[in-house]
Amino acid sequence: MTNTAYEILAMLERHFEESVTLLKQLTTCPGQRSDILIPLSNELRYVRAQIGYEVTEQASDFEMERADHWGRIHRRFEEWLKDPDDIYLHVEEREEQRKKKGLAPRVIILPWSYEEEEKLLAAKRVEARKKRKQKPKATASKPPEKGAKAP
């Protein structure tokens, strides 16, 4: 089984911390120069931080690309799910918030009734049918011209 970069980085960090702890213990031993060992332990921590930065930066770039890709797919799906009439509910909610804050309304929301809208649409359909029936037929014969002999 292979380890991921994050797992390897976690193991590396654990070993670096163990090394720093061992260096601290070494400074307490007689005859050791703590003025040299403490800066070396700081160097060790600096190297650990640089490694962590490099690994996570590469992983972050990869994750950002994936997030961008899947974010686009998610937005398309959200758009597909969205009801076009939801905007009216959002505007109505926003206007209520403005009213609570004491701000002037930006839009005027007219009362709406499903039944009334259906009546209007039905009336428009009836009128369109009437117009189609009233159109004169183009295939009707022409009246004879003046001066022409009748058959």
Side-chain angles (χ1 to χ4, degrees):
M1 180 174 143
T2 60
N3 293 327
T4 66
Y6 292 117
E7 292 169 330
I8 294 170
L9 183 62
M11 287 190 313
L12 191 62
E13 295 232 357
R14 187 173 45 248
H15 291 302
F16 267 107
E17 284 303 315
E18 289 172 3
S19 298
V20 168
T21 304
L22 290 172
L23 275 172
K24 279 185 184 178
Q25 289 176 3
L26 193 56
T27 60
T28 61
C29 292
Q32 298 303 317
R33 295 184 56 191
S34 62
D35 60 327
I36 299 292
L37 294 175
I38 291 175
L40 288 175
S41 71
N42 292 340
E43 284 293 316
L44 197 57
R45 287 182 176 146
Y46 173 74
V47 169
R48 182 201 55 81
Q50 288 295 94
I51 291 169
Y53 172 77
E54 186 60 36
V55 170
T56 55
E57 182 182 23
Q58 293 300 317
S60 175
D61 290 346
F62 174 77
E63 294 297 334
M64 285 174 59
E65 288 172 9
R66 297 287 83 206
D68 184 47
H69 171 73
W70 291 108
R72 275 187 261 116
I73 290 173
H74 176 72
R75 281 188 296 280
R76 277 191 227 127
F77 180 69
E78 288 290 320
E79 284 294 318
W80 179 76
L81 281 180
K82 192 158 78 173
D83 182 4
D85 291 337
D86 282 350
I87 190 71
Y88 300 113
L89 299 174
H90 178 71
V91 167
E92 189 173 39
E93 181 181 300
R94 186 72 180 114
E95 285 302 313
E96 284 298 318
Q97 290 173 354
R98 288 182 60 80
K99 187 186 284 186
K100 285 178 184 176
K101 290 181 179 178
L103 299 171
R106 287 191 173 169
V107 295
I108 297 172
I109 300 172
L110 300 175
W112 177 81
S113 165
Y114 178 77
E115 293 82 20
E116 287 180 30
E117 187 169 333
E118 283 299 313
K119 286 178 187 175
L120 287 172
L121 290 173
K124 285 182 182 179
R125 285 191 293 264
V126 167
E127 189 145 332
R129 273 191 227 120
K130 285 181 183 177
K131 284 183 181 179
R132 278 183 288 195
K133 288 180 181 178
Q134 290 176 356
K135 286 185 179 177
K137 293 185 179 178
T139 59
S141 61
K142 294 182 183 178
E145 293 180 10
K146 286 185 181 180
K149 292 183 183 178

